[in-house]
Amino acid sequence: MTSTTDASRGRLRPAGRRRRRPRRLSTHAATGGLVAVLLVLTVFSVLAAVANARAATRAEQSAAVSEWSDQAERSLLLMEESADQLAVEDDAEVREEYGAASAATRSALQELGAVSGTGHDELVGGWLRLHDSYQQAVEDLIAVAQWDPARAEAYEDEFVDEHYDRLEAVVEDEAREHWLASSLALDSMRHSQELLLVATPAVFGVGLALVGWFTAVLTRSRRETVAQAEQNRQQALHDALTGLPNRTLLRQRGEVALSADGGAAAALMLIDLDRFKEINDTLGHAYGDLVLQAVAGRLRDTVRGTDTVARLGGDEFAILLPTVDGPDAALELARRALAALEAPIEADGVHLDVDGSIGIALSGAHGTDVETLLQNADIAMYAAKDRSLGVCVYDSALNDHSPERLGLLGELRRAIDNGELVLHFQPKVAVPGEQVCGVEALVRWQHPERGLIPPALFIPVAERTPLIRPLTRYVLDAALEQCARWQAGGLELHVAVNVSARNLLDERFVDDVLEVLARRQVPASWLELEVTESAIMADPARAQRILARLAEVGITLSIDDFGAGYTSLAHLKDLPVHQLKIDRSFVAHMAADRSNALIVRSVVELGHNLGLTTVAEGVEDRGTWERLGELGCDVAQGYFLCRPLPAEELALWFDRVRTAAVV
């Protein structure tokens, strides 16, 4: 028994030892397995965390690069737009805007290269040299434009656009490179997450809990990173104030619309708010921001779900119609947009009124790419604003930079240099005594090939360019030269010259007039300058300042086409003018239309009450002449009395008038 027991014990001990060893091995294996699982999970977690951190860093870098590249793109575009304006007119205000845009572009390039982790800080010097080259090319373009505007466009294409394109390519390449790097980092993080999720089911309790915990952390981190990246993308493509798509997103959607195979036309509208600057200047930018947000909401409510409303900057908005059934449908939507702006906008308890001007360009008819449509819609928008139309569809005749008009401008500059412009003079006769009291100088272009070109074909073109200044100087000089000849011959005649709105915006205009008077030795009191109501109202404060300087030296000032413009009595009583010229549309029909006669009589009475001389133009028959005498009008001119004539023919007319008076 004992032996058996001993034997049994002897058999059992080893057996017991053999049974305990697997348990220890299992425990070690379990412990080792758990450690291994934890190590694997730790490694996975560390790798995923590293990938996550890298992705977050790349996303932050991408956001910074996106911000500065977007800033560089906007300021570079402003440089180009200002350069185009400077090529037309070297205006001090525009040059200041150009300088600010240039400084912003340079700063953005420096910040772009300095973004941590990009490794491109050594490239900044090259970028800045590209910027300097573009600036120099723009300065050369301005010089070329002032010397020979006809060559400006070709010079820009050949020498300026190359530098602009290289700068633009630098900005776009930087943004594209870092967006790609950010996307790759996010993809890498997503793959590590997927591997982690596959490994998780193979582990037991604690490992599963750890995996779940790590997964939750990493998933949350990834979501935050993705959300941040989406927020950065949203900010890069949307306007911060209104939440509308910005110019970049508008271009992208426009390109998609133009590439569609549906066959329908797309339309692009540009909207510029009227009187918005007054709100900003008077009430401040806080009210202006509220107005912009309200306008954005109203425009969004006006369009279809497939359309895009964008804010391009300032008070300029755009609407993209991916499909539209022709210009009539686009006009209908544009009018709805204007109607939506009619109701006053309440901003912090103040009710504000804004209007808009809309230009429309349609794909196919007005351009095949987004940039061309933007340019042509911009031209149409300014035409709508200038002509008070509200809405205008683009037409090539509106484009002052078309090849035909650019060619005409080049010829006109040569015409001024070659003396091809001639003056005709129309007498101004006192009512009712029929005494000639002055003449109005009217310019004509004696073209060597086209013959005599009337002013309506070339003056409006010149008025939109700096060429109006040398043209006005030419007319002033020729008119005063003839005035001096008449004076030397014993004929004392005041001579009147028309002045454009652009002249009244030019601070150098007064000096130009005084210089011509001194050169021709004509008294200032013998010169009359005629300005339209619209020219005065373009910038009333500046116009009043310039007119006051002219009146101080003794020049007679006359408001031309009075009654057809928008001069208020409040402005009229403060203007230093001496004459009112009644618009010919009222005078020509006063004999047949009682309402026109009443308007003429009212203007005559208003002028006399203000101590002003009244002049009626467009007198075509004796009945009108006699009626003007009855109404008390002071001076008249028109074909009934004498049509505009060259100085030599006018001298013969004077002789006939004197002979008739003697007889």
Side-chain angles (χ1 to χ4, degrees):
M1 184 70 164
T2 303
S3 61
T4 305
T5 303
D6 291 340
S8 299
R9 289 175 181 173
R11 288 195 297 269
L12 288 172
R13 285 190 190 99
R17 285 194 292 270
R18 285 195 295 270
R19 283 196 294 270
R20 283 197 295 272
R21 188 177 296 118
R23 282 200 295 270
R24 283 197 293 270
L25 289 174
S26 298
T27 302
H28 292 315
T31 303
L34 179 59
V35 171
V37 168
L38 294 176
L39 287 175
V40 169
L41 291 176
T42 301
V43 170
F44 283 158
S45 299
V46 170
L47 292 177
V50 170
N52 190 20
R54 288 177 178 174
T57 301
R58 292 288 178 84
E60 291 174 359
Q61 292 173 356
S62 178
V65 170
S66 174
E67 176 185 356
W68 291 113
S69 62
D70 189 53
Q71 174 62 41
E73 182 181 5
R74 289 197 303 269
S75 55
L76 186 59
L77 182 60
L78 287 175
M79 283 184 69
E80 183 187 41
E81 293 173 351
S82 300
D84 289 342
Q85 295 181 44
L86 289 172
V88 175
E89 178 186 15
D90 193 359
D91 181 78
E93 185 177 350
V94 177
R95 183 170 281 277
E96 183 178 354
E97 294 175 356
Y98 171 79
S102 176
T105 302
R106 191 177 187 89
S107 176
L109 290 173
Q110 290 172 328
E111 295 292 344
L112 190 60
V115 173
S116 176
T118 61
H120 288 171
D121 49 343
E122 71 276 13
L123 301 178
V124 174
W127 298 348
L128 296 181
R129 285 193 292 275
L130 281 178
H131 176 267
D132 293 339
S133 299
Y134 176 60
Q135 276 193 305
Q136 185 59 51
V138 169
E139 292 297 331
D140 294 342
L141 171 64
I142 295 171
V144 170
Q146 292 176 346
W147 174 64
D148 186 3
R151 290 193 58 236
E153 184 174 1
Y155 186 90
E156 181 179 11
D157 292 341
E158 184 175 358
F159 298 103
V160 180
D161 288 349
E162 175 186 0
H163 299 291
Y164 178 88
D165 292 341
R166 293 175 64 188
L167 265 178
E168 186 179 45
V170 164
V171 174
E172 292 177 349
D173 289 347
E174 281 293 297
R176 188 182 305 110
E177 175 185 344
H178 288 89
W179 274 114
L180 178 60
S182 178
S183 298
L184 291 175
L186 289 174
D187 288 341
S188 175
M189 184 180 66
R190 179 174 56 82
H191 291 320
S192 66
Q193 293 277 355
E194 292 173 351
L195 182 59
L196 193 63
L197 292 174
V198 170
T200 300
V203 301
F204 55 93
V206 176
L208 182 61
L210 292 174
V211 169
W213 181 69
F214 278 114
T215 300
V217 171
L218 294 174
T219 301
R220 183 173 63 252
S221 178
R222 180 179 183 276
R223 286 173 180 169
E224 291 174 354
T225 301
V226 172
Q228 182 63 46
E230 176 61 23
Q231 182 180 353
N232 294 337
R233 190 188 71 84
Q234 181 80 1
Q235 292 175 351
L237 297 176
H238 290 77
D239 173 55
L241 176 65
T242 63
L244 294 177
N246 61 13
R247 187 184 295 268
T248 301
L249 185 53
L250 177 71
R251 283 200 185 98
Q252 293 177 3
R253 294 185 179 177
E255 290 169 357
V256 172
L258 293 177
S259 63
D261 298 328
L268 191 60
M269 302 181 185
L270 284 190
I271 306 171
D272 187 75
L273 301 183
D274 300 331
R275 295 195 299 276
F276 178 76
K277 184 176 184 296
E278 298 175 15
I279 295 172
N280 258 354
D281 293 345
T282 304
L283 301 177
H285 292 285
Y287 284 88
D289 289 347
L290 292 175
V291 169
L292 292 175
Q293 290 170 337
V295 169
R298 293 185 181 185
L299 293 178
R300 258 194 309 251
D301 294 340
T302 301
V303 303
R304 305 167 300 182
T306 56
D307 302 332
T308 295
V309 178
R311 182 187 175 210
L312 304 187
D315 60 344
E316 191 174 32
F317 293 82
I319 299 177
L320 171 67
L321 310 179
T323 59
V324 63
D325 296 329
D328 290 340
L331 279 169
E332 180 183 353
L333 190 143
R335 294 190 180 104
R336 288 209 310 268
L338 288 181
L341 301 179
E342 289 180 356
I345 295 173
E346 183 176 351
D348 199 17
V350 180
H351 289 82
L352 303 172
D353 292 309
V354 294
D355 291 324
S357 299
I358 301 181
I360 302 174
L362 285 85
S363 64
H366 307 141
T368 56
D369 59 87
V370 176
E371 281 305 316
T372 302
L373 291 177
L374 280 171
Q375 293 170 7
N376 291 338
D378 190 57
I379 291 169
M381 183 266 290
Y382 277 106
K385 185 181 290 287
D386 290 342
R387 303 176 186 183
S388 301
L389 299 176
V391 182
C392 181
V393 178
Y394 173 77
D395 185 276
S396 58
L398 301 173
N399 193 350
D400 295 332
H401 301 291
S402 65
E404 294 79 11
R405 294 204 174 195
L406 289 174
L408 184 64
L409 281 172
E411 290 188 64
L412 182 56
R413 180 177 293 277
R414 288 191 294 272
I416 295 173
D417 296 337
N418 298 335
E420 295 175 9
L421 301 181
V422 296
L423 297 188
H424 288 188
F425 300 89
Q426 185 174 38
K428 300 166 71 174
V429 180
V431 181
E434 299 188 7
Q435 179 182 357
V436 178
C437 54
V439 295
E440 180 179 358
L442 302 166
V443 65
R444 306 287 189 268
W445 182 357
Q446 189 63 55
H447 195 281
E449 298 174 359
R450 306 182 193 180
L452 198 64
I453 300 179
L457 295 182
F458 63 90
I459 287 183
V461 177
E463 283 182 325
R464 292 179 172 84
T465 72
L467 195 59
I468 191 62
R469 185 187 181 202
L471 175 60
T472 304
R473 284 175 60 92
Y474 182 100
V475 175
L476 276 170
D477 186 68
L480 293 177
E481 180 185 21
Q482 183 59 50
C483 184
R485 288 177 183 164
W486 283 328
Q487 181 184 13
L491 189 61
E492 297 185 357
L493 285 176
H494 292 195
V495 62
V497 175
N498 291 285
V499 174
S500 79
R502 199 177 183 98
N503 294 133
L504 293 186
L505 299 176
D506 187 353
E507 298 288 353
R508 301 167 296 178
F509 176 63
V510 177
D511 295 332
D512 288 346
V513 173
L514 296 179
E515 189 264 328
V516 175
L517 282 169
R519 183 168 67 251
R520 295 304 177 186
Q521 297 183 348
V522 174
S525 59
W526 286 26
L527 174 62
E528 298 177 7
L529 295 179
E530 299 183 1
V531 297
T532 63
E533 295 179 79
S534 58
I536 295 173
M537 297 308 296
D539 189 340
R542 182 180 297 188
Q544 185 168 358
R545 184 171 65 252
I546 290 177
L547 292 176
R549 291 181 60 194
L550 294 169
E552 286 174 0
V553 299
I555 295 172
T556 301
L557 302 175
S558 176
I559 297 183
D560 198 9
D561 300 333
F562 186 79
Y566 306 96
T567 306
S568 67
L569 294 180
H571 279 108
L572 182 60
K573 69 181 180 63
D574 295 329
L575 290 173
V577 297
H578 310 90
Q579 292 183 357
L580 294 182
K581 290 194 73 174
I582 309 169
D583 185 73
R584 66 177 63 249
S585 64
F586 303 124
V587 176
H589 301 99
M590 61 180 293
D593 189 329
R594 184 172 178 273
S595 61
N596 282 331
L598 288 174
I599 292 174
V600 173
R601 184 177 69 180
S602 299
V603 174
V604 170
E605 292 176 353
L606 172 65
H608 289 169
N609 290 336
L610 293 174
L612 306 177
T613 301
T614 56
V615 182
E617 52 183 346
V619 180
E620 307 294 337
D621 53 61
R622 178 169 292 279
T624 302
W625 165 261
E626 293 175 350
R627 182 61 177 146
L628 288 170
E630 295 171 1
L631 295 177
C633 185
D634 302 303
V635 179
Q637 67 181 100
Y639 278 24
F640 171 71
L641 301 168
C642 181
R643 67 177 54 247
L645 297 172
E648 298 78 9
E649 296 182 29
L650 189 62
L652 299 177
W653 182 84
F654 283 140
D655 291 340
R656 289 196 300 272
V657 170
R658 291 194 192 98
T659 301
V662 171
V663 173

